[in-house]
Coordinates of all heavy atoms in Angstrom, one line a residue:
V1 N 47.6 123.2 166.8 CA 46.3 122.6 166.2 C 46.3 122.7 164.7 O 46.0 121.8 164.0 CB 45.1 123.2 166.8 CG1 43.8 122.8 166.0 CG2 44.9 122.9 168.3
W2 N 46.8 123.8 164.2 CA 46.9 124.1 162.8 C 47.9 123.1 162.2 O 47.6 122.5 161.2 CB 47.4 125.5 162.5 CG 47.5 125.8 161.0 CD1 48.7 126.0 160.4 CD2 46.4 125.8 160.2 NE1 48.3 126.3 159.0 CE2 47.0 126.1 158.8 CE3 45.0 125.7 160.2 CZ2 46.2 126.3 157.6 CZ3 44.2 125.8 159.0 CH2 44.9 126.1 157.8
R3 N 49.1 122.8 162.8 CA 50.1 121.9 162.2 C 49.4 120.5 162.3 O 49.7 119.8 161.4 CB 51.3 122.0 163.1 CG 52.3 123.1 162.8 CD 53.7 122.9 163.4 NE 53.6 122.9 164.8 CZ 53.7 123.9 165.7 NH1 53.8 125.1 165.1 NH2 53.6 123.7 166.9
L4 N 48.8 120.1 163.3 CA 48.1 118.8 163.4 C 47.1 118.7 162.3 O 47.2 117.6 161.5 CB 47.3 118.7 164.7 CG 46.6 117.4 164.9 CD1 47.5 116.2 165.0 CD2 45.7 117.5 166.2
L5 N 46.3 119.7 162.0 CA 45.2 119.5 160.9 C 45.8 119.5 159.6 O 45.4 118.7 158.7 CB 44.3 120.8 161.1 CG 43.4 120.7 162.4 CD1 42.5 121.9 162.4 CD2 42.5 119.4 162.4
T6 N 46.9 120.4 159.3 CA 47.4 120.6 158.0 C 48.4 119.4 157.8 O 48.4 118.8 156.6 CB 47.9 121.9 157.7 OG1 48.9 122.1 158.7 CG2 46.8 122.9 157.7
G7 N 49.3 119.2 158.6 CA 50.3 118.3 158.4 C 50.0 116.8 158.6 O 50.2 116.1 157.6
R8 N 49.5 116.5 159.7 CA 49.2 115.1 159.8 C 47.7 114.5 159.3 O 47.8 113.5 158.7 CB 49.1 114.7 161.3 CG 50.4 114.8 161.9 CD 50.3 114.0 163.4 NE 51.7 114.1 163.9 CZ 52.0 113.6 165.0 NH1 51.0 113.0 165.7 NH2 53.2 113.5 165.5
L9 N 46.8 115.5 159.3 CA 45.5 115.1 158.7 C 45.3 115.5 157.3 O 44.3 115.1 156.7 CB 44.3 115.7 159.6 CG 44.4 115.1 161.0 CD1 43.3 115.8 161.9 CD2 44.3 113.5 161.2
G10 N 46.1 116.4 156.7 CA 46.1 116.8 155.3 C 44.9 117.7 155.1 O 44.6 117.9 153.9
W11 N 44.4 118.3 156.1 CA 43.4 119.4 155.8 C 44.0 120.7 155.2 O 45.2 120.8 155.3 CB 42.7 119.8 157.1 CG 41.8 118.7 157.7 CD1 41.8 117.4 157.5 CD2 40.8 119.0 158.6 NE1 40.8 116.9 158.2 CE2 40.2 117.7 158.9 CE3 40.3 120.1 159.3 CZ2 39.0 117.6 159.8 CZ3 39.2 120.0 160.1 CH2 38.6 118.7 160.4
S12 N 43.2 121.4 154.5 CA 43.6 122.6 153.9 C 42.6 123.8 154.1 O 41.5 123.5 154.4 CB 43.9 122.6 152.5 OG 42.6 122.3 151.8
L13 N 43.0 125.0 154.1 CA 42.2 126.2 154.3 C 41.3 126.2 153.0 O 41.8 126.3 151.8 CB 43.0 127.5 154.3 CG 42.2 128.7 154.5 CD1 41.4 128.7 155.7 CD2 43.1 129.9 154.5
Q14 N 40.0 126.3 153.2 CA 39.1 126.4 152.0 C 38.1 127.4 152.2 O 37.6 127.6 153.5 CB 38.3 124.9 152.0 CG 39.1 123.7 151.7 CD 38.4 122.5 151.6 OE1 37.3 122.4 151.5 NE2 39.1 121.3 151.6
R15 N 37.8 128.1 151.3 CA 36.8 129.2 151.3 C 35.7 128.9 150.4 O 35.9 128.4 149.3 CB 37.6 130.6 150.9 CG 38.7 130.8 151.8 CD 39.4 132.1 151.4 NE 40.6 132.4 152.1 CZ 40.8 133.2 153.2 NH1 39.8 133.7 153.6 NH2 41.9 133.2 153.7
P16 N 34.5 129.2 150.8 CA 33.3 129.0 149.9 C 33.4 129.8 148.7 O 33.9 130.8 148.8 CB 32.1 129.3 150.8 CG 32.7 130.2 151.8 CD 34.1 129.8 152.1
E17 N 32.8 129.3 147.6 CA 32.6 130.2 146.4 C 31.7 131.3 146.7 O 30.9 131.2 147.6 CB 32.0 129.3 145.3 CG 32.8 128.1 144.9 CD 34.1 128.7 144.0 OE1 33.9 129.7 143.3 OE2 35.1 128.1 144.1
R18 N 31.8 132.3 145.9 CA 31.0 133.5 146.1 C 29.4 133.1 145.9 O 28.6 133.6 146.7 CB 31.4 134.6 145.1 CG 32.6 135.3 145.5 CD 32.3 136.1 146.7 NE 33.4 137.1 146.9 CZ 33.5 137.8 148.0 NH1 32.5 137.7 148.9 NH2 34.5 138.6 148.2
R19 N 29.1 132.5 144.9 CA 27.7 132.1 144.6 C 27.7 130.6 144.3 O 28.6 130.1 143.6 CB 27.2 132.8 143.4 CG 27.3 134.5 143.4 CD 25.9 134.8 144.3 NE 26.1 136.2 144.5 CZ 25.1 137.0 144.8 NH1 23.9 136.4 144.8 NH2 25.1 138.2 144.9
A20 N 26.6 130.0 144.6 CA 26.4 128.6 144.4 C 26.1 128.5 142.8 O 25.6 129.3 142.2 CB 25.1 128.1 145.0
V21 N 26.6 127.4 142.3 CA 26.4 127.1 140.8 C 25.0 127.0 140.5 O 24.5 127.4 139.5 CB 27.3 125.9 140.4 CG1 27.0 125.5 139.0 CG2 28.9 126.1 140.6
E22 N 24.3 126.3 141.5 CA 22.9 125.9 141.3 C 21.9 127.2 141.3 O 20.7 127.0 141.3 CB 22.4 124.8 142.3 CG 23.2 123.6 142.1 CD 24.5 123.7 142.9 OE1 24.7 124.6 143.7 OE2 25.3 122.7 142.9
R23 N 22.5 128.4 141.8 CA 21.6 129.6 142.1 C 20.8 129.9 140.9 O 21.3 130.0 139.8 CB 22.6 130.7 142.5 CG 21.9 131.9 142.9 CD 22.9 132.8 143.4 NE 22.3 134.1 143.7 CZ 22.0 134.6 144.9 NH1 22.3 133.9 146.0 NH2 21.5 135.8 145.1
D24 N 19.5 130.0 141.1 CA 18.5 130.4 140.1 C 18.1 131.8 140.3 O 17.2 132.0 141.1 CB 17.4 129.4 140.0 CG 16.5 129.5 139.0 OD1 16.5 130.5 138.2 OD2 15.5 128.8 138.9
E25 N 18.7 132.7 139.6 CA 18.3 134.1 139.8 C 16.9 134.4 139.5 O 16.3 135.2 140.3 CB 19.3 135.1 139.0 CG 20.7 135.0 139.4 CD 21.0 135.5 140.7 OE1 20.3 136.4 141.2 OE2 22.0 135.0 141.2
S26 N 16.3 133.9 138.6 CA 14.9 134.2 138.3 C 14.0 133.7 139.3 O 13.0 134.3 139.7 CB 14.5 133.5 136.9 OG 14.6 132.2 136.9
E27 N 14.2 132.5 139.9 CA 13.5 131.9 141.0 C 13.5 132.8 142.2 O 12.6 133.0 143.0 CB 13.9 130.5 141.2 CG 13.2 129.8 142.4 CD 11.7 129.7 142.1 OE1 11.2 129.7 141.0 OE2 10.8 129.6 143.2
I28 N 14.8 133.3 142.5 CA 15.0 134.2 143.7 C 14.2 135.5 143.5 O 13.6 135.9 144.4 CB 16.5 134.5 143.8 CG1 17.2 133.2 144.2 CG2 16.8 135.6 144.8 CD1 18.8 133.2 144.1
A29 N 14.2 136.0 142.3 CA 13.4 137.2 142.0 C 12.0 136.9 142.2 O 11.2 137.9 142.8 CB 13.7 137.7 140.6
R30 N 11.5 135.8 141.7 CA 10.1 135.5 141.9 C 9.7 135.3 143.4 O 8.7 135.9 143.8 CB 9.7 134.1 141.2 CG 8.2 133.7 141.2 CD 8.0 132.3 141.0 NE 8.5 131.5 142.1 CZ 8.0 131.4 143.4 NH1 6.9 132.1 143.7 NH2 8.6 130.6 144.3
W31 N 10.5 134.6 144.2 CA 10.3 134.5 145.5 C 10.2 135.9 146.3 O 9.4 136.1 147.1 CB 11.4 133.7 146.2 CG 11.1 133.3 147.5 CD1 10.4 132.2 148.0 CD2 11.5 134.0 148.8 NE1 10.3 132.1 149.4 CE2 11.0 133.2 149.9 CE3 12.2 135.1 149.0 CZ2 11.2 133.7 151.3 CZ3 12.4 135.5 150.3 CH2 11.9 134.8 151.3
I32 N 11.2 136.8 145.9 CA 11.2 138.1 146.6 C 9.9 138.8 146.2 O 9.4 139.5 147.0 CB 12.4 138.8 146.2 CG1 13.7 138.2 146.8 CG2 12.4 140.3 146.5 CD1 15.0 138.7 146.3
A33 N 9.5 138.7 144.9 CA 8.3 139.5 144.6 C 6.9 138.9 145.1 O 6.1 139.7 145.4 CB 8.3 139.5 143.1
H34 N 6.9 137.6 145.2 CA 5.6 137.0 145.5 C 5.5 136.5 147.0 O 4.6 136.7 147.7 CB 5.2 135.9 144.5 CG 5.1 136.4 143.1 ND1 4.0 137.2 142.7 CD2 5.9 136.2 142.1 CE1 4.2 137.5 141.5 NE2 5.5 136.9 141.0
E35 N 6.5 135.7 147.4 CA 6.5 135.0 148.7 C 6.9 136.0 149.9 O 6.2 136.0 150.9 CB 7.4 133.8 148.8 CG 7.0 132.8 147.6 CD 5.6 132.2 147.9 OE1 5.2 132.0 149.1 OE2 5.0 131.9 146.9
W36 N 7.9 136.7 149.7 CA 8.4 137.5 150.7 C 7.4 138.6 151.2 O 7.2 138.6 152.5 CB 9.8 138.3 150.4 CG 10.3 139.1 151.4 CD1 10.4 140.5 151.4 CD2 10.6 138.8 152.7 NE1 11.0 141.0 152.5 CE2 11.1 139.9 153.4 CE3 10.7 137.6 153.6 CZ2 11.4 140.0 154.7 CZ3 11.0 137.7 154.8 CH2 11.4 138.7 155.4
P37 N 6.7 139.3 150.3 CA 5.7 140.3 150.9 C 4.6 139.5 151.7 O 4.1 140.0 152.7 CB 5.1 140.8 149.6 CG 6.2 140.7 148.6 CD 6.8 139.4 148.9
R38 N 4.2 138.2 151.2 CA 3.2 137.5 152.0 C 3.7 137.1 153.3 O 2.9 137.3 154.4 CB 2.9 136.2 151.1 CG 1.8 135.3 151.8 CD 1.5 134.1 151.1 NE 2.7 133.3 150.8 CZ 3.2 132.5 151.8 NH1 2.5 132.3 152.9 NH2 4.1 131.7 151.5
I39 N 4.9 136.7 153.4 CA 5.6 136.3 154.8 C 5.7 137.5 155.6 O 5.3 137.5 156.8 CB 6.9 135.6 154.5 CG1 6.7 134.2 153.7 CG2 7.7 135.5 155.8 CD1 7.9 133.7 153.3
K40 N 6.0 138.6 155.0 CA 6.2 139.8 155.8 C 5.0 140.4 156.4 O 4.9 140.9 157.6 CB 6.9 141.0 154.9 CG 7.5 142.1 155.6 CD 8.3 143.0 154.7 CE 8.8 144.2 155.4 NZ 9.6 145.0 154.4

């Protein structure tokens, strides 16, 4: 299966980035401080 995917179909092993480029740390902190306690 690996040979089929890599050789014939041209797939490659890909790993996700550690953090999304769009990640907004200040918005995450706000959500944790205000929304999470309300949900909890």
Side-chain angles (χ1 to χ4, degrees):
V1 171
W2 181 248
R3 280 193 301 273
L4 174 68
L5 293 175
T6 58
R8 289 195 176 181
L9 299 177
W11 286 23
S12 64
L13 179 63
Q14 298 180 10
R15 298 177 192 264
E17 292 291 325
R18 285 288 195 187
R19 298 281 177 158
V21 175
E22 302 86 4
R23 187 177 172 99
D24 184 356
E25 295 295 334
S26 62
E27 180 62 21
I28 293 169
R30 186 205 61 78
W31 188 89
I32 290 171
H34 298 290
E35 299 297 325
W36 179 240
R38 181 182 58 81
I39 293 168
K40 196 171 178 182

